Amino acid sequence: MSRVYNFSAGPSMLPESVLKKASAEMLDYEGSGQSVMEMSHRSKVYDAIIKGAESTLRQVMGIPDNYKVLFLQGGASSQFAAVPMNLMTKSHKADYVLSGQFSTKAYKEGSRYGDCKAVASSKEDNFSHIPSLDQNEFRPDADYFHICLNNTIYGTVWNELPDTGEVPLVADISSCILSRPINVSKFGLLYAGAQKNVAPAGLTIVIVREDLLGEPQEGTPTMFNYKVMAENESMYNTPPCWPIYICKLVLEWIRDEIGGLEKMEERNVRKAQVLYDFLDSSKLFKGCAAPDSRSIMNATFVTGDPDLDAKFVKESTAAGFVNLKGHRSVGGMRASIYNAMPPEGVASLVDFMRKFEAENA
Ligand code: PLP
């Protein structure tokens, strides 16, 4: 069977060269006589893998030395709790912007650990754009200010970061990590589930400024304690060994085959442009996100007729374009076009949409 173009919001496609390399190394990783899945995380051979993953992440993202990189488990959803447990320790206040379902979940979870304030929301417009901000709503004594940089379900992205002054900016970057360069020094903390742009599910990356690593709130489980995880170089317990190994291969793919994050961004912008240009000229399909908030990772669109949407999803699946059904809260379709989606995948999808339009408009 030939491979399909998988437009899933995550877990999603991985670069073919990464899959081939992992497969070639499956039975005997670098002469160790075993696969990465089978080896001790305390072995010398695995130590080189986890250290290599971290150093390549630092190199590719340009992470300053005063930031710690943590390889954790529990998904981005665990960070909805871990962030307040570790950072909401002074004023016990935190500001949140509600730009979609995940940021709302983060806000609700955070509210269990302190005084969280929703300083802006675009819920009334079904999160079709990044909310406009009123700086007077921001609390200067908040322990942090939380945003979700790319809203996977709605297909929106922050193009300009909020100015939070001295208050550390915390961002969920699950669906845009490694999609383009990011100025890490503008953030106090970044976190991401790996299963979209980095690796298979099971790995969560946290990048945190060292001075924010203090004593967490009382009762914080050891596994959620950033300081403990940092002191143990993400090896307090058994780390997600296999996803960390794939993460290393994906980073090497970005660095060596793509040519770094600037090139990755150029490729992603070109891909997204092909799809958005078609949506803007289509007589049948219409993009859901406000043009100034459009994500280059997730594009949401509808025909306006739920039956026709369902027909499109059915026919596109049969043609080898899978997982295009939109999230239930938006309906319609969503094409997640993460890093590993080849440009030909998007071009072929647009050809298919054009044909569908001709037959159904
Ligand atoms: N945040 C964002 C932006 C997401 O897209 C997702 C999952 O799709 C999550 C958080 C939840 O991540 P996880 O399933 O790793 O907990």
Side-chain angles (χ1 to χ4, degrees), residues 9 74-78 80 102 148 150-152 172 174-175 193 195-196 204:
S77 303
S78 292
F80 299 165
F102 292 113
C148 177
N150 186 81
N151 298 283
T152 324
D172 175 353
S174 295
S175 50
Q195 64 272 20
K196 301 159 199 304
T204 312

Side-chain angles (χ1 to χ4, degrees), residues 12 29 53 90 107 111 121 148 151 158 165 191 198 214 273 282 308 326 330 338:
S12 49
Y29 178 78
K90 295 184 186 82
Y107 162 70
S111 300
S121 169
C148 177
N151 298 283
W158 288 75
Y191 66 89
V198 188
Q273 200 63 49
S282 172
L308 205 51
V330 182
Y338 296 121

